[in-house]
Amino acid sequence: MTGTLLTRIRGRDRGSYLLISPYLVFFGAFVAYPLIFSLILLFHRWNIVTPMEWVGARNFIRVAADGLFYKSVLNTVLFLLIHIPLQVVVAIGFAMMLNARVWGRGFFRAVYFFPVVVSGVAVTILWQQVYANDYGILNTLLQAAGLPAVPWITDPSIAMPSIAIMATWKNVGIYIVLFLAGLQSIPADLYEAASIDGATPLQRFWRITLPMLNPTVSVIVILSTIGGFSLFIEPYVLTGGGPMQSTLSAMLYIYNQAFYFSHMGYAATLGVVYALVILTVVLIQRKVIERETGL
Amino acid sequence: MRLRWCVLPVIIWSVFLPGCDTRPGERPSPRVDLIYWPAPNPQELSLADTLVRLWNRMHPDVFVLMQPIPVSQSTEEVLLAAIAGKTTPDVCSNIWPGALEEYTRAGGLVTLDRFADFDSVVGARVPPDLLKQFRSPDGHFHQIPWKTNPVMMFYNARLLREAGVVSVPRTYGEFLAAGAKVSRDTSGEGQIDVWMGERDIRPIWWQRLFDFYPFYIAASGGRTLFDGESVAFQNEYAEAVLAFFRECYRRRLFPHTFFQGGDPFLLERKATHFAGPFEIAELRQSAPHVEYGVAPLPVPDGHRGPVYTYGDFKNIAIFSTTEHPREAWEFVKFLLRPEHDLLLLEICNQIPLRLDITKDSLFTDYFLRNPWMAVFAEQAPRTRGVDPIPDLKEILDALSQAYEASAVYGEITPAEAAQMAADRARSILEWNR
């Protein structure tokens, strides 16, 4: 068997293996090696500079007792609960607007994607100016209208929703593209038939558009969930995880453990536990979507 | 043919002779090369450039190459990465004592007290009670104290005067009373636009080195956070400091925001600022119109005795990757000469950690020309550093979380905050033991 394989590699497939070798090198260096190394780290204490120290299951015991990690996971879940519905609603709204024959459609079709291509750090710094308590754009407008200022990123109960709004603004362009593609694939004769039957625009939306967009919604919910679980740049730049740890996301907490406090072993353990949390949520989500939509 | 026979010996000589120019036992090369990393700010780079040029002129056999510490979020990250990659310089003059334990545990530093003249060099320069703070838990010295930036209170004299504050606040009570007059809406737009003070409200660990920690040292008469390896900050001093900052936020003397548009002290949007003498260079350069002064940090009402503060020390160390420790030590001694300490003052506005600096005639003229620097120099002997505790950053992070919950947002009492931070610090020590 081995002989056959080697013969094949030596023979006519040699060229094929040569062609995929750049990917294999990349995969080995940046996927397989870090993965194996992080599995080793799970049972070690290591601060990069000193030799690794075997600690057995101690990192896992610490995770079990680490209330701050649980809080960071719950914060991330809260972010997802706000961000995903908001993203879906806003993306559908804009996609329908861009799909309709409205004035300025060409302009809007060009600009809605801008935030997606701008760096996350730049966007967050921009929103710092929007959200600032005493001199921010939003509060200046509110106060000019005679309304009280809102502590967008300094009130523990408002900070995470504020981040969710900002993240929606940043990412919604991608989902608009997906919804736009979904809308354009709905046969026009369905709408024509509904119109002949006397359906109102609202009825057409609920009975035709939304059901036909179900596959797109499912994809977007799963993509947003996975993307949302990696929430990092926004709290890192905007709030540092505060106020009162209300925006401390799990990724930010893992990053702090690894690169602020040099607890590589513990951070790897947190990462693996967190990956299991994400896997569980996505599997449940898939089951629910399968049951609800029959996809 | 003849030409070929002529060229061949030339080639042989040129290839082999460079490797054969020494006999066994002789030095392979007369010149030693050292790499020196100073802090990457413009003032310290200018000082380092001056000193390295001087050294190289005086020591043609030991060449020092000055390279700024590579830019990153912090020097500590860079040095740790360099230790891991064995790319450390021979000498670095930006060593924060709080990170020293990590470097030492990694075997990254040369023990300095192995040099015969270490005691005489350091003894002539550093006050003995300050020196003992820099001894590592293994009993050796891996750093030589170089400079300090005592954290003190800058105040804007004009803002205080215009608000009707007649004397600079020295106690918490005086500070709060002055703050009630200073924090106000001066433009009539319905928002406070001049504040008594301001601190970055984000829970960033090193920010506590400029509010909670120096205030704790001041309130406690010079205590630090640990007693040996035991948590020692769950006490009335920590609670008093937390209660003081809590009042500052509750009474709206400090804003619940952070400024992005520049330093609010330079912009005259706050009347006080807690910083080291490096702020003077910034004031001179960016806001020469600001009428400022410097005073000790406010202390609890009824406080007796001298006011201590955090020294924000930066020290010099030799890394164990050096192939020339003796020459590196000679260069370190060169950096510590009195005339170079004067240059440190002149160029960087930072205080050399030198015995009786305010009484030494070499520095008299400088302090006459820079009276506020004299205030910092007088504070220097009453400074404290950080404890040589591993995981200090993580413990300061725990303190930041407690400070934020109690002082900034008033969600828990100062006593609960001190308890919360102490419990978390004990857990961190236990986890990482």
Side-chain angles (χ1 to χ4, degrees), chain B residues 239-255:
Chain B
E239 289 175 25
V241 174
L242 290 166
F244 165 66
F245 279 104
R246 185 185 170 97
E247 278 305 297
C248 289
Y249 283 102
R250 193 183 67 78
R251 298 184 189 189
R252 302 207 69 203
L253 311 185
F254 285 22

Side-chain angles (χ1 to χ4, degrees), chain A residues 45 47-50 53 58 62 65-68 125 128-129 132-135 143 153-156 236-245 253 255 257 259-263, chain B residues 73 77 80-81 83-84 102 105-106 191 195 201-206 252 255-261 269 391 393-394 397 401 404-405 409 411 420 424 428 430-433:
Chain A
R45 175 160 47 198
N47 71 350
I48 304 176
V49 289
T50 52
E53 184 191 340
R58 209 165 154 179
R62 182 175 171 182
D66 192 348
L68 209 47
I125 291 171
Q128 239 164 16
Q129 308 301 319
N133 215 23
D134 299 305
Y135 60 93
Q143 288 176 325
I153 48 173
T154 54
D155 184 314
Y236 178 72
V237 177
L238 195 66
T239 58
M244 302 267 302
Q245 299 148 353
Y253 185 65
Y255 170 86
Q257 286 295 334
F259 299 106
Y260 257 26
F261 309 136
S262 305
H263 298 153
Chain B
Q73 281 206 345
E77 274 177 27
L80 275 175
I83 290 173
E102 279 181 285
R105 278 199 298 186
Q191 284 187 62
W195 301 88
I201 58 168
R202 285 173 295 182
I204 300 169
W205 66 270
W206 55 265
R252 302 207 69 203
H256 280 93
T257 191
F258 46 88
F259 291 86
Q260 288 290 318
R269 292 192 62 187
D391 309 305
K393 282 190 286 184
E394 199 175 359
D397 179 67
Q401 309 290 353
E404 186 194 33
Y409 293 105
E411 295 284 329
M420 180 177 130
R424 176 97 182 153
I428 291 165
E430 180 58 32
W431 283 333
N432 300 328
R433 185 159 288 157

Side-chain angles (χ1 to χ4, degrees), chain B residues 327-346:
Chain B
E327 287 82 357
W329 172 240
E330 288 304 317
F331 179 65
V332 169
K333 288 195 292 183
F334 174 80
L335 295 178
L336 298 171
R337 284 185 185 174
E339 60 271 29
H340 300 156
D341 279 344
L342 183 59
L343 283 177
L344 174 63
L345 280 165
E346 294 275 9

Side-chain angles (χ1 to χ4, degrees), chain B residues 47 51 93 117-131 134 143-148 313-316 329 332-345 350-358 360 362-363 380-381:
Chain B
L47 172 72
L51 293 178
S93 62
D117 54 350
F118 175 83
D119 287 339
S120 60
V121 170
V122 83
R125 192 170 184 274
V126 185
D129 65 319
L130 269 179
L131 182 62
F134 302 107
Q143 58 185 328
I144 188 155
W146 183 39
K147 60 175 181 165
T148 173
F313 301 100
K314 288 289 158 56
N315 299 335
I316 302 177
W329 172 240
V332 169
K333 288 195 292 183
F334 174 80
L335 295 178
L336 298 171
R337 284 185 185 174
E339 60 271 29
H340 300 156
D341 279 344
L342 183 59
L343 283 177
L344 174 63
L345 280 165
Q350 298 189 44
I351 309 289
L353 207 56
R354 175 168 283 281
L355 208 58
D356 293 334
I357 192 169
T358 51
D360 190 326
L362 179 66
F363 305 100

Side-chain angles (χ1 to χ4, degrees), chain B residues 95-105 109 134 136 142-143 317:
Chain B
I95 302 290
W96 179 55
L100 193 93
E101 187 57 19
E102 279 181 285
Y103 309 152
T104 313
R105 278 199 298 186
L109 299 178
F134 302 107
S136 293
H142 298 92
Q143 58 185 328

